[in-house]
Amino acid sequence: KTYLQNTIGVKAGKVGLIGGSMGGLTVQNYAQANPSSVAVVVGLVPVSDVSDFVTNNRGGLASSINTAYSTWNEGTMGATYNPHTYASGGNLAACHYKCWYGASDTIVIPSTVTDVASAAGTTAVSCAGDHNTSLNSVTIADVVTHIRTYAT
């Protein structure tokens, strides 16, 4: 944030975050950790349950996740790094979280996304398609409208 403000003139204040798939997990985790710095969060087929990803090796990524987290442990990491665990705490709702997911996605399971959105009191929008094709039906106008509504 400071880097962008100092190098390309991004305005000071809260940021808007957009992330897709594993990047969706990253923006959720950033908002969870820094709610006072985030105005709005958009998740596009966002990974929403790290434990599900590891347990079921979704997308063949269990090994990579275990490497990144020095072996994933829901008990010690979930409250900080797993939206499925922390969503009901209020930070995602405070950051005006909204997400879009693929109705037939077998990598990011739809119920994990809708569970997080529901727990956070926010909106999850179902899109036709799977992990790779569902975003074809998301219009940039919908995403921009959500961001503009809450950007300060």
Side-chain angles (χ1 to χ4, degrees):
K1 178 176 160 183
T2 303
Y3 172 79
L4 294 174
Q5 290 168 348
N6 292 337
T7 57
I8 61 172
V10 171
K11 72 174 188 145
K14 293 183 175 188
V15 297
L17 304 172
I18 301 173
S21 192
M22 200 58 86
L25 173 66
T26 301
V27 299
Q28 289 173 90
N29 287 344
Y30 185 88
Q32 166 67 10
N34 304 283
S36 64
S37 297
V38 179
V40 61
V41 179
V42 169
L44 304 170
V45 294
V47 171
S48 299
D49 188 347
V50 180
S51 289
D52 173 72
F53 245 65
V54 172
T55 300
N56 297 296
N57 196 23
R58 305 277 183 212
L61 294 171
S63 177
S64 296
I65 292 169
N66 279 323
T67 298
Y69 290 99
S70 300
T71 305
W72 174 258
N73 181 309
E74 175 65 32
T76 59
M77 299 174 178
T80 304
Y81 300 111
N82 192 356
H84 202 263
T85 303
Y86 63 67
S88 62
N91 286 355
L92 288 178
C95 295
H96 306 289
Y97 179 62
K98 184 173 183 177
C99 57
W100 285 259
Y101 66 94
S104 59
D105 197 333
T106 58
I107 297 173
V108 173
I109 303 304
S111 63
T112 64
V113 179
T114 59
D115 287 352
V116 167
S118 177
T122 62
T123 305
V125 179
S126 178
C127 301
D130 62 20
H131 196 72
N132 297 313
T133 62
S134 60
L135 295 183
N136 294 339
S137 63
V138 175
T139 67
I140 296 299
D142 291 340
V143 173
V144 170
T145 296
H146 181 69
I147 292 168
R148 290 185 65 149
T149 300
Y150 296 105
T152 55

